């Protein structure tokens, strides 16, 4: 709890204590006596449509919400920010809650595609970490629209067993990004499979970062430079993947540009499947790219009350902790901290240590022109042109 919340809580206790068993003080003559407002009745149909990333919600969470509230949830998934954005831009999505990354949420807020929250309906917002909410103001200046779902980072994930075998006498590089961007390594790893996330706004920022440019550059010349680097490894990339967990756990890829939690999920899945291979998310020496994924209510949502109810439900400490415990992504919910399992809390590729956190590249956003330049550069690279 921050100091303001503490002092609020304390004064509430003091006031409650004062009132007990005392003669009621005479009310000041002119005190306005307002009738307590009747609790608003939720007249919405009992439906909620959610659009989120795959492999991001603990099993049973939706069922628990449905059981408690009688609200039927339709839960769909999208694989990239681009896919979600295209839906929001086209309008009439039918979705109530969407979960964009902040890189896209900023222009979505500016474009009126997300609606402001009614914070009076989300008391559990008080559970959120003020430091994370402070970070989110870069995308959502007054914290009016976005509530953190989870955060994580884009990094290099490997099947260590297979990578070491494929590299032979070549030692692991100092900078893990070399494994996916440097021909000296990619030429050796192509045999066991290199996979990239299939999205311009996942790959181009990482490529820019690798060549020493601003990961969120708005300068088209930087994209040309990134392409030059990428072109040299194109022939070694086996997969552009939207099913990374399966691809890593199932052995289609031994090295990937992937999201931290997904690599950890793949590691767990491989173990369940009795594989002896060790799968790990690496912490590149030059830093990985942080992302924040956030819940927001889409413009024109037909079930805003149910959406607020779900957001508040998700923000209960036990639910936020369940997400971290089962999906291997850190939560922005401070009140959940003591409910995180020790093996998750101590995994330095989930909750990274502060020294590494300081090295990571925080998210920013792009102008529309830059996004277009990026998509063009990415498609050119993908097509091998
Ligand atoms: C999917 C997690 C999405 C993280 N499992 C990237 N925004």
């Amino acid at each position: 709890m921050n100091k303001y919340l503490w002092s609020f809580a304390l004064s509430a206790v003091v006031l409650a204590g004062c009132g007990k068993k005392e003669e009621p003080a005479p009310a000041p003559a002119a005190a306005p006596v307002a009738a307590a407002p009747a609790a608003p009745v939720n007249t919405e149909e009992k439906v909620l449509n959610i659009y989120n990333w795959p492999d991001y919600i603990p099993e049973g969470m939706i069922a628990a919400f449905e059981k408690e509230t009688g609200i039927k949830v339709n839960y769909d998934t999208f694989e990239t920010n681009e896919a979600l954005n295209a839906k929001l831009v086209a309008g009439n999505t039918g979705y109530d809650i969407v979960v964009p990354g902040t890189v896209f949420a900023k222009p979505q807020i500016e474009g009126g595609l997300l609606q402001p929250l009614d914070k009076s309906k989300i008391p559990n917002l008080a559970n959120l970490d003020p430091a994370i909410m402070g970070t989110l103001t870069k995308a959502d200046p007054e914290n009016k629209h976005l509530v953190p779902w989870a955060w994580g980072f884009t990094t290099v994930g490997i099947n260590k067993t297979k990578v070491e075998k494929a590299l032979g006498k070549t030692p692991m590089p100092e900078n893990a990004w070399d494994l996916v961007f440097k021909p000296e390594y990619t030429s050796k790893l192509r045999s066991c499979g290199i996979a990239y996330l299939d999205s311009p706004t996942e790959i181009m920022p990482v490529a820019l970062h690798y060549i020493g440019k601003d990961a969120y550059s708005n300068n088209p010349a930087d994209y040309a430079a990134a392409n030059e680097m990428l072109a040299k490894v194109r022939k070694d990339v086996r997969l552009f993947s939207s099913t990374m967990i399966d691809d890593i756990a199932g052995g289609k890829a031994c090295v990937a540009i992937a999201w931290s939690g997904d690599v950890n999920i793949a590691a767990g899945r491989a173990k369940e499947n009795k594989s002896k291979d060790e799968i790990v998310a690496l912490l590149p020496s030059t830093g990985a790219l942080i992302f924040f994924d956030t819940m927001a209510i889409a413009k024109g949502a037909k079930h805003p009350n149910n959406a607020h109810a779900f957001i508040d439900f998700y923000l209960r400490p036990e639910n936020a902790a369940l997400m971290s415990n089962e999906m291997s992504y850190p939560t922005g919910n401070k009140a959940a901290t003591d409910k995180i399992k020790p093996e998750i809390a101590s995994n330095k590729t989930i909750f990274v240590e502060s020294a590494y956190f300081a090295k990571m590249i925080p998210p920013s956003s792009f102008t529309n022109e830059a996004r277009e330049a990026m998509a063009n550069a990415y498609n050119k690279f993908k097509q091998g042109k």
Side-chain angles (χ1 to χ4, degrees):
M1 232 191 257
N2 70 32
K3 64 179 177 195
Y4 301 106
L5 288 176
W6 271 116
S7 63
F8 173 77
L10 285 175
S11 56
V13 170
V14 172
L15 287 172
C18 284
K20 267 185 208 156
K21 304 230 158 96
E22 297 279 336
E23 281 301 308
V33 184
V41 182
N42 185 352
T43 51
E44 275 171 21
E45 61 170 337
K46 294 256 182 198
V47 171
L48 175 65
N49 299 322
I50 302 181
Y51 201 34
N52 198 351
W53 303 77
D55 301 291
Y56 225 12
I57 190 163
E59 218 181 303
M61 188 177 279
I62 292 295
F65 176 76
E66 288 180 324
K67 190 163 170 223
E68 184 178 312
T69 61
I71 296 168
K72 161 90 181 81
V73 176
N74 299 306
Y75 192 90
D76 288 345
T77 57
F78 58 87
E79 272 111 17
T80 61
N81 266 313
E82 284 85 346
L84 167 61
N85 192 55
K87 278 242 161 93
L88 288 173
V89 169
N92 290 322
T93 60
Y95 292 113
D96 300 302
I97 294 181
V98 292
V99 189
T102 54
V103 173
F104 277 70
K106 184 176 194 285
Q108 287 161 357
I109 291 169
E110 287 162 359
L113 303 176
L114 306 173
Q115 53 175 283
L117 301 164
D118 178 348
K119 294 190 182 179
S120 71
K121 295 184 177 141
I122 321 176
N124 285 329
L125 282 172
N127 293 336
L128 289 166
D129 183 344
I132 299 239
M133 294 314 281
T135 312
L136 293 191
T137 57
K138 274 214 231 156
D140 182 19
E142 290 169 72
N143 288 137
K144 279 191 181 158
H145 304 79
L146 307 178
V147 174
W149 178 270
W151 63 276
F153 50 98
T154 307
T155 192
V156 180
I158 59 167
N159 180 320
K160 197 162 173 245
T161 319
K162 288 196 168 133
V163 164
E164 281 174 355
K165 207 167 150 203
L167 287 182
K169 291 204 172 71
T170 310
M172 286 286 276
E174 156 109 18
N175 177 10
W177 293 120
D178 285 347
L179 294 172
V180 289
F181 290 137
K182 196 170 188 180
E184 181 188 336
Y185 295 92
T186 58
S187 58
K188 296 199 167 72
L189 296 172
R190 63 179 302 194
S191 58
C192 60
I194 299 176
Y196 282 19
L197 284 166
D198 192 8
S199 150
T201 52
E202 300 290 349
I203 298 304
M204 298 312 291
V206 179
L208 286 168
H209 168 65
Y210 183 69
I211 61 170
K213 308 274 186 201
D214 173 5
Y216 296 93
S217 171
N218 281 318
N219 178 359
D222 290 346
Y223 290 100
N227 256 43
E228 214 171 291
M229 180 279 287
L230 288 168
K232 299 193 179 114
V233 295
R234 174 63 189 91
K235 62 174 183 2
D236 298 334
V237 179
R238 181 186 290 178
L239 288 173
F240 291 89
S241 172
S242 316
T243 50
M244 199 60 99
I245 298 175
D246 289 343
D247 294 338
I248 300 174
K252 276 196 198 148
C254 65
V255 54
I257 301 178
W259 300 307
S260 50
D262 284 18
V263 180
N264 278 299
I265 295 175
R269 225 171 261 182
K271 270 202 197 111
E272 279 165 26
N273 296 342
K274 311 255 178 290
S275 162
K276 292 209 169 63
D277 290 2
E278 190 189 346
I279 291 169
V280 280
L282 300 175
L283 301 174
S285 58
T286 61
L289 274 71
I290 302 179
F291 60 79
F292 292 99
D293 290 327
T294 51
M295 287 182 279
I297 303 185
K299 178 177 111 181
K302 296 224 167 53
H303 313 99
N305 286 326
N306 299 344
H308 283 90
F310 181 83
I311 292 173
D312 201 54
F313 173 86
Y314 183 74
L315 290 181
R316 290 181 192 166
E318 59 277 20
N319 285 338
L322 210 58
M323 188 284 301
S324 284
N325 287 336
E326 291 188 19
M327 311 319 293
S328 301
Y329 282 99
T331 171
N333 192 314
K334 206 172 181 184
T337 313
D338 60 0
K339 297 183 170 50
I340 310 279
K341 290 195 257 175
E343 66 266 34
I344 299 287
S346 64
N347 183 329
K348 295 180 177 52
T349 70
I350 300 177
F351 288 92
V352 298
E353 288 180 318
S354 52
Y356 191 74
F357 189 85
K359 268 194 188 182
M360 294 210 272
I361 293 81
S364 180
S365 58
F366 307 101
T367 61
N368 286 339
E369 296 77 55
R371 271 225 310 275
E372 214 176 293
M374 198 174 329
N376 289 338
Y378 176 78
N379 289 330
K380 225 169 106 184
F381 155 61
K382 202 174 153 183
Q383 288 156 19
K385 284 191 192 148

